[in-house]
């Protein structure tokens, strides 16, 4: 064999072509093949030999071309066999490629078929020879004609057939990557490319996970030819599918305790990470690919999944896409939240659609997935987190003020998006070490830089970071220290939040604590008031959190950190000794503040009580400070009145007078500290030992002195008249003069002192009758002064006249109410009867409770001791609820009202208002503890107590109590009906019913009861009916679609108000007795508001259908044609709109009063036509993509709108304009007077109404315009139902025209006009309207 090979090579080298040709012809095909095989296996001179064979086989001669074909047919499988060395195979293929174009058409066709067959049977494993296939196909496409079957095909067509056959056959998974690579070099038409891409994407699911990234890479290179969107969508949907399968397996594994993992999670995540890198690299190089990628998410967020979000965040690192990606994600998050809220608020949508996919959840999944080495995604996650928090964080209120105390639950879409940003950053912080520093730095930078807008969301995030990873924060303590340097320049709220958040770190890091103290000391002497306030806040916080050795355990422990989390860097023995010196040093700094502004003193007095409770060892120092401060304002001479000096409490600056010393707060703080110390000493040392003598003497010294002072103040305050304070009725209280301001300050101080003494004396009285009589005296003085203030502020229109905030503590109010209303111990009855006899005192106690609850709802805390502790305030709320509920249910308001005809609310009503406020506060501030609150309301009735665990059951138990109360109200006559009480009861029912599960039986019962009440109650009270119907609609929406209810209400309104045509008599189909002549207007506004909500839902559904991917539509379209049924969403939309049009048809014929009702109705009609137009456009789009008839229901809807609603709309427009601006037939004087009165109002209305009417006409005509387009597209004449409009820019009033003509013309002309007039005017006769 070697000889043949040598000969071929030597003949070739010697340029003896004729001899070479002759020699090759002498060799048989088998011999030639054997020579080639041996040469190739040895790898020697194979290239030279193949060149020789080509040289000696001229393509023009039949033998030559045959020999060439044999060479190709043999070399291709030989290269694939894997027996050759890689270089040898590459050389062979290279040589074959050079000569491919010389092969004749039939040979090329044979070669191509050889490739196709080899691929089909899976013999192209190594893919080496596949490099030759594109060259073969290119040469083939250049051929003019090839025989195919019995006929002929052009080369291009033949190539198409081959590719078609290849993509339709089964591919061996091993050669998918090689084939994809190979097709990059094949010229393909768009259809061929699409066919190929679909085939490759189907093969994804048959490959091993490790083979996916290289295939993704090849596909992306292939996408340079086109089909970019298809390639990206296919890759994303593959990973989306894998994620879902993996998640399902994980869930099944957990539930069945089996480890069934066909897809290992870590492997899948690493493959996804690599695929993301490939795609981002491709997008960097091909901007068209990037545009296609972003375009696919712009229309609908339904295609998003954790993988595509990770991909988006990686793409965001490319600068030109950054803004687009974040805007896209922002839009998707907000839209997703809004859609979720819309679905949750409507039973109709819940029944119609599947569960909503949450983008927020996907983003959090992406954060969790990124832990598998997705470093390219984490940067995007940080940016997204801060982008969301910056964009959707709380905004500054008017005049740059920030709203106090954020609510605990995120309600609005913006709040939810902001919270999501915080969650992303917190999760990212916990998982990725590399980004911790950056997150921390950015959070702290924002706290320092954003002084103009609220930063509570960043403080919450910082606080969560501190709790989740204190050790990591200690490593970055320098960043925290740098932030401390800015403390004195930051807003007070930010300082308080920041110090509270950092407090756990101060306990374990000495250096951090030292640097904070230095900053606070500097701030103490700041020229800015806010800086000094920050210092006081910081020092008080430190005092609360650094225990002095020997302090009693506090019931209210601060936020702690377990010792396993942190390494304490100070020895505990040194720690407590140092703490004492440190705390006393701080106290001495704070004493200096007692000479500063009232605001700073006020902060101190608010804080001292908490400090004392945490650090009882500081009692002596704190009490001495307070005592010496109190002595300044106390009149020691026992015979002098008043017992307190008010002069030093104020200061003047120019003409202005300011409060210098909040005296009442000073007394309040002193009393609370004293009472707490006495109670704690009693419980801690029932039998005091000898060793404590010195300390006890000291304690008893200041305690007895304080008690003496307080007793003396109480005694003399009772004796003091208002004249003693220069505050009698003749005093001036206007805020315009400095005397008035001074008197106002005095009045508030004196009232505060009275309140503080009431609290002190109640606790010290220990139910002694004589002490309680003194207490009533104190109250009477307080009441008298507050009445004078009210009276004076009523006259002058002063700005500051809100009731001053009560100084009674919330705990005391709770105790007082319980004593007044529930205490039934025999020994205490006599003393309490003194207090109970004073009706004003009872009212005052309940109104202070209302004030405290309101403050809790608005800010999340109350003044006074325990006001900052959520658990304690919640306990007080529970106690108050129980008392107020008992008082309301056991003493009917009717009994109270008898013989008293005052305008103000009765005690029962105040109790009911208190309950309403408590429930509202609890829903907002303690959403998870409603069952706990309700279970404390023990009602001593026959009812069996509900199961405390189930919120729905326990809520329904109390709903029944309030239902009974309302029923009692309604079952009396209209004279006995108390509208205010009924409204409060309805509001309470509304708040409580939101706690019921809409799917529960209790909810259904509540709904049925409300419907029954609305049908049977006929009181003419518009405020009550508004509340009751709002409750009905609120429940109805969660029970089923409200359109049928709206129709019934519209019929009732029509029958009550009459028709716009006075000659028409409306039938009276009374569904709801609550709708009557007095309440019809408010009902109309409620109905129109609800119509708007239904239109929102319909609009949302149509938009959702429009944005559905075309594939979904076509599949659903085919299904509808085969089954002959309409798509469920389209059907639901048509039915909703049908009922709505019927309801509006009733309203449009109603003689509504001019004003807001007419205006709102015109706007509602305009919107209805706009949404009908949207629906018509949807069907136009549908007809373009898939021709077919229109659903019969839709045709009926068009008929209903054209033949019934539109003509009535035009009549209503005429009525609105005439009713609004026409004269009517009254005599001249009345007319003139009315005109003068209505002139100003009418002109304003004219402007408003004139805008609503053209808008409505425009909407109707737009609707008709698109109906014409749809009629042409669908070949259905929809315009047969439409009538031409008569309400245009001008309108001829036939009657007026006739009168004018009669005056001008003679009888001859009259007769020519009158037939026309007869035609235009309808004969007047009574008609019944069905």
């Amino acid at each position: 064999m070697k000889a043949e090979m040598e000969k071929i090579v030597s003949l070739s080298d010697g340029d003896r072509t004729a001899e070479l040709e002759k020699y090759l012809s002498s060799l048989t095909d088998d011999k030639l093949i054997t020579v080639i095989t041996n040469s190739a296996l040895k790898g020697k001179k194979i290239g030279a030999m193949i060149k020789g064979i080509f040289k000696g086989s001229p393509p023009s001669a039949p033998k030559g071309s045959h020999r060439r074909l044999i060479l190709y047919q043999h070399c291709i499988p030989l290269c694939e066999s894997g027996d050759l060395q890689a270089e040898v195979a590459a050389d062979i293929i290279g040589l074959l490629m050079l000569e491919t174009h010389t092969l004749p058409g039939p040979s090329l066709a044979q070669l191509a078929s050889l490739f196709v067959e080899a691929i089909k049977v899976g013999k192209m494993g190594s893919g080496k020879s596949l490099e030759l296939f594109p060259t073969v196909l290119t040469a083939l496409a250049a051929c003019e004609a090839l025989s195919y079957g019995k006929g002929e095909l052009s080369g291009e067509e033949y190539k198409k057939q081959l590719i078609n056959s290849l993509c339709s056959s089964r591919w061996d998974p091993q050669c998918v990557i090689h084939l994809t690579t190979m097709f990059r070099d094949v010229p393909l038409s768009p259809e061929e490319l699409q066919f190929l891409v679909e085939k490759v994407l189907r093969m994804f699911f048959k490959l091993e996970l490790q083979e996916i990234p290289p295939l993704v890479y090849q596909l992306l290179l292939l996408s340079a030819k086109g089909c970019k969107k298809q390639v990206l969508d296919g890759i994303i949907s593959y990973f989306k599918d894998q994620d879902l399968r993996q998640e399902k397996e994980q869930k099944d594994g957990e539930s069945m305790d089996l480890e069934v993992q066909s897809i290992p999670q870590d492997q899948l995540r690493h493959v996804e990470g690599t695929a993301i890198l490939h795609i981002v690299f491709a997008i960097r190089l091909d901007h068209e690919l990037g545009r296609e990628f972003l375009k696919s998410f712009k229309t609908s967020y339904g295609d998003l999944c954790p993988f595509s979000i990770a991909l988006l965040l990686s793409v965001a690192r490319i600068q030109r896409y950054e803004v687009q990606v974040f805007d896209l994600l922002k839009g998707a998050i907000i839209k997703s939240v809004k859609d979720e809220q819309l679905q949750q608020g409507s039973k109709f949508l819940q029944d119609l659609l599947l569960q909503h996919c949450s983008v927020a959840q996907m983003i959090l999944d992406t954060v969790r997935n990124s832990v598998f080495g997705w470093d390219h995604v984490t940067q995007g996650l940080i940016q997204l987190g801060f982008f969301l928090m910056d964009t959707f964080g709380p905004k500054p209120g008017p005049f740059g003020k920030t709203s106090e105390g954020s609510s605990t639950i995120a309600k609005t879409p913006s709040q939810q998006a902001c919270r999501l940003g915080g969650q992303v950053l917190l999760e990212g912080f916990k998982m990725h070490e590399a980004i911790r520093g950056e997150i921390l730095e950015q959070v702290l930078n924002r706290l320092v830089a954003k002084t103009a807008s609220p930063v509570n969301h960043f403080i919450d995030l910082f606080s969560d970071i501190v709790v989740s990873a204190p050790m990591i924060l200690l490593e970055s303590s320098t960043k925290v220290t740098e932030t401390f340097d800015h403390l004195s320049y930051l807003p007070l709220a930010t300082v308080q939040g920041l110090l509270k958040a950092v407090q756990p770190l101060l306990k374990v890091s000495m250096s951090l604590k030292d640097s904070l103290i230095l900053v606070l000391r500097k701030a103490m002497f700041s020229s800015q008031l806010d800086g000094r306030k920050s210092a006081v806040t910081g020092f008080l916080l430190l005092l609360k959190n650094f225990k002095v050795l020997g302090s009693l355990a506090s019931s209210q422990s601060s936020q702690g950190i377990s010792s396993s989390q942190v390494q304490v860097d100070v020895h505990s023995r040194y720690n407590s000794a140092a703490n004492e010196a440190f705390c006393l040093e701080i106290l001495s700094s704070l004493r200096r503040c007692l000479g500063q502004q009232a605001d700073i003193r006020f902060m101190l007095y608010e804080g001292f009580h908490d400090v004392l409770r945490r650090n009882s060892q500081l009692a002596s120092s704190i009490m001495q400070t307070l005592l010496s401060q109190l002595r300044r304002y106390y009149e020691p001479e026992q015979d002098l009145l008043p017992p307190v000096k008010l002069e030093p409490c104020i200061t003047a600056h120019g003409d202005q007078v300011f409060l210098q010393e909040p005296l009442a707060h000073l007394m309040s703080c002193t009393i609370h500290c004293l009472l707490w110390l006495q109670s704690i000493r009693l419980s801690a040392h029932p039998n005091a030992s000898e060793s404590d003598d010195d300390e006890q003497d000291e304690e008893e010294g200041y305690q007895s002195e304080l008690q003496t002072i307080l007793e003396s103040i109480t005694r003399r305050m009772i004796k003091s008249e208002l004249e003693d304070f220069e505050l009698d009725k003749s005093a001036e209280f206007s805020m315009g003069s400095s005397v008035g301001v001074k008197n106002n300050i005095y009045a508030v101080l004196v009232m505060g002192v009275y309140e503080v003494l009431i609290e002190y004396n109640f606790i010290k009285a220990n139910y002694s009758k004589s002490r309680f009589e003194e207490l009533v005296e104190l109250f009477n003085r307080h009441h008298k002064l507050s009445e004078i203030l009210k009276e004076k502020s009523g006259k002058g229109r002063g700005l500051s006249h809100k009731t001053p905030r009560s100084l009674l503590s919330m705990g005391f109010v709770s105790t007082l109410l319980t004593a007044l209303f529930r205490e039934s111990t025999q020994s205490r009855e006599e003393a309490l009867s003194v207090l109970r006899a004073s009706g004003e005192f009872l009212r005052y106690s309940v109104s202070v409770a209302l004030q405290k609850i309101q403050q809790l709802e608005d800010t999340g805390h109350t003044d006074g001791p325990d006001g900052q502790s959520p658990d304690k305030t919640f306990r007080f709320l529970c106690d108050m609820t129980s008392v107020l509920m008992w008082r309301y249910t056991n003493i009917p308001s009717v009994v109270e009202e008898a013989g008293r005809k005052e305008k103000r609310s009765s005690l029962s009503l105040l109790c009911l208002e208190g309950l309403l406020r408590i429930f509202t506060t609890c829903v907002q501030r303690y959403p998870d503890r409603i069952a706990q609150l309700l279970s404390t309301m023990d009602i001593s009735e026959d009812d069996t107590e509900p199961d405390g665990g189930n919120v729905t059951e326990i809520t329904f138990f109390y709903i029944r109590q309030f239902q009974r109360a309302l029923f009692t109200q309604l079952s009396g006559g209209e004279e006995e009906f108390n509208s205010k009480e009924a409204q409060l009861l309805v509001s309470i029912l509304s708040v409580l019913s939101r706690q019921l599960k809409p799917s529960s039986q209790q909810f259904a019962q509540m709904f049925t009861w409300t419907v029954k009440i609305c049908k049977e109650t006929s009181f003419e009270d518009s405020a009550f009916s508004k509340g009751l119907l709002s409750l009905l609609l609120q429940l109805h929406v969660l029970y089923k679609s409200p359109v049928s209810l709206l129709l019934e209400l519209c019929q009732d309104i029509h029958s009550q108000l009459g028709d716009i045509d006075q000659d028409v008599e409306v039938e009276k189909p009374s569904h709801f007795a609550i709708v009557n002549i007095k309440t019809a207007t408010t009902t109309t506004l409620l109905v129109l508001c609800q119509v708007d909500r239904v239109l929102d839902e319909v609009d949302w559904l149509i938009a959702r259908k429009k944005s559905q991917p075309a594939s979904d539509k076509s599949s659903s379209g085919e299904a509808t044609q085969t089954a002959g049924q309409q798509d469920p969403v389209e059907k639901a939309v048509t039915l909703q709109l049908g009922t709505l049009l019927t309801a509006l048809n009733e309203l449009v014929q109603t003689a509504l009063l001019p004003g807001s009702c007419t205006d709102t109705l015109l706007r509602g009609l305009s919107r209805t036509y706009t949404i009908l137009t949207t629906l018509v456009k949807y069907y136009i789009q549908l007809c373009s993509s898939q021709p077919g008839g229109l659903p019969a229901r839709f045709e009926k809807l068009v008929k209903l709108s054209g033949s019934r609603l539109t003509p009535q709309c035009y009549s209503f427009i005429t009525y609105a304009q005439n009713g609004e601006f026409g004269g009517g037939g009254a005599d001249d004087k009345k007319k003139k007077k009315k005109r003068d009165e209505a002139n100003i109002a009418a002109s304003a209305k004219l402007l408003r109404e004139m805008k609503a009417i053209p808008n409505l006409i425009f909407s109707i005509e737009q609707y008709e315009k698109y109906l014409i387009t749809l009629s042409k597209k669908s070949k259905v004449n929809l315009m047969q139902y439409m009538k031409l409009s008569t309400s245009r820019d001008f309108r001829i009033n036939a009657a007026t025209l006739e009168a004018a003509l009669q005056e001008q013309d003679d009888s001859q002309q009259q007769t020519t006009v009158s037939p026309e007039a007869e035609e235009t005017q309808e004969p007047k006769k009574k008609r019944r309207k069905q």
Side-chain angles (χ1 to χ4, degrees), residues 883-901:
V883 176
L884 295 175
M885 186 72 186
W886 185 90
R887 174 69 180 67
Y888 177 71
T889 45
N890 285 287
I891 302 173
S893 54
V894 185
V895 177
E896 249 176 36
E897 289 296 330
R900 199 172 81 178
K901 291 287 177 199

Side-chain angles (χ1 to χ4, degrees), residues 372-657:
F372 294 94
W374 291 6
D375 297 340
H376 43 285
V377 178
T378 49
Q379 199 56 43
L381 282 170
I382 297 180
Q383 278 178 280
L384 177 68
F386 282 114
F387 175 76
L388 290 175
M389 289 185 85
D390 289 338
T391 314
F392 298 113
K395 299 285 178 277
F399 309 112
K401 287 184 180 174
T402 60
S403 57
E404 218 183 331
S406 57
S407 127
T408 44
I409 9 175
K411 290 178 184 167
T412 64
S414 296
Q415 286 172 332
Q416 293 193 28
C418 176
R419 191 185 61 183
L420 172 67
Q423 286 171 314
V424 166
L425 291 171
L426 180 62
E427 292 296 314
F429 188 90
K430 288 180 188 171
M431 286 179 182
H432 299 285
E433 202 172 321
I435 60 175
R436 281 172 187 157
E438 189 181 345
I439 292 178
L440 188 62
E441 192 169 341
Q442 289 212 40
V443 169
L444 292 173
N445 284 350
R446 279 166 169 76
L447 290 182
V448 171
K450 286 182 176 265
T451 48
S453 52
V455 287
N456 347 20
H457 50 309
F458 287 114
I459 288 174
D460 293 342
L461 172 62
F462 181 58
S463 180
D464 290 338
I465 288 175
V466 171
V467 174
S468 66
M471 268 316 289
I472 296 154
L473 267 183
L474 285 181
E475 290 164 17
S476 322
S477 60
T478 48
K479 285 176 183 156
V480 182
T481 313
E482 281 167 25
T483 313
F484 285 162
D485 293 341
H486 301 277
L487 272 190
S488 55
Y489 309 107
L490 295 182
L492 187 62
T494 308
V495 174
Q496 287 173 330
L498 179 64
L499 293 180
K500 257 186 202 159
V502 92
Q503 162 204 316
L505 297 178
L506 298 177
K507 292 188 172 180
V508 290
S509 166
M510 210 51 184
S511 58
L512 207 60
K513 187 176 77 174
D514 290 344
S515 61
L516 176 63
I517 290 168
L518 275 174
V519 169
L520 291 177
R521 277 192 188 139
K522 279 183 201 163
M524 208 64 165
F525 299 98
S526 164
S527 58
Q528 300 295 318
L529 178 64
D530 263 5
R532 299 199 296 280
K533 280 186 179 178
S534 300
V536 173
T537 305
F539 279 142
L540 285 171
L541 201 76
L542 288 171
L543 282 179
K544 282 180 209 171
N545 291 305
F546 286 90
K547 266 200 175 322
V548 176
L549 201 60
S551 284
L552 297 154
S554 162
S555 57
Q556 193 180 13
S557 61
S558 60
Q559 183 183 37
I561 286 189
S562 64
S563 54
S564 60
Q565 274 183 302
V566 260
Q567 183 76 44
V568 181
D569 64 354
V570 264
H571 299 293
S572 48
R573 187 175 54 76
Y574 156 71
N575 204 4
S576 25
N579 277 351
E580 182 164 14
F582 160 70
C583 288
L584 290 171
E585 184 191 342
I586 291 179
L587 267 177
S588 68
S589 295
L590 288 176
R591 270 195 207 104
R592 291 195 207 105
C593 296
L594 290 173
Q596 295 194 10
Q597 283 91 335
D599 284 359
I600 291 179
R601 301 185 193 195
F602 172 71
M603 286 175 74
L604 275 177
Y605 300 148
E606 276 282 288
F608 270 157
H609 181 262
D610 276 350
V611 170
L612 187 62
R613 294 186 70 155
R614 306 272 182 94
N615 254 333
S616 54
Q617 283 298 92
L618 300 175
S620 165
S621 185
I622 289 177
M623 292 310 288
Q624 295 288 5
T625 305
L626 289 171
L627 182 57
S628 65
Q629 187 72 0
L630 186 60
R631 282 198 198 112
R632 292 186 190 179
Y633 307 100
Y634 170 64
E635 179 56 70
E637 197 62 56
Q638 295 297 312
D639 299 335
L640 284 179
L641 295 180
V644 286
K645 302 171 189 170
L646 294 182
E647 282 285 332
C649 292
I650 60 169
T651 177
H653 184 75
D655 296 345
Q656 292 179 305
V657 178

Side-chain angles (χ1 to χ4, degrees), residues 888 912 962 965-966 969 981-990:
Y888 177 71
L912 198 56
F962 292 112
L966 184 57
Q969 272 289 330
E981 185 172 348
Q983 285 171 49
L984 284 170
L985 285 166
V986 169
S987 302
I988 287 176
L989 286 171
S990 176

Side-chain angles (χ1 to χ4, degrees), residues 344 347 350-351 950 952 993-1007 1035 1037-1040:
Q344 282 171 353
K347 186 78 168 83
Q350 287 166 17
D351 293 344
N950 186 336
T952 296
S993 62
R994 286 196 181 98
Q995 305 309 311
L996 298 175
K997 271 190 189 155
S999 54
S1000 66
Q1001 182 192 349
Q1002 288 88 341
F1003 187 88
Q1005 286 173 347
M1006 172 78 194
F1007 173 70
L1035 296 169
V1037 168
L1038 293 171
Y1039 191 68
K1040 59 181 178 183

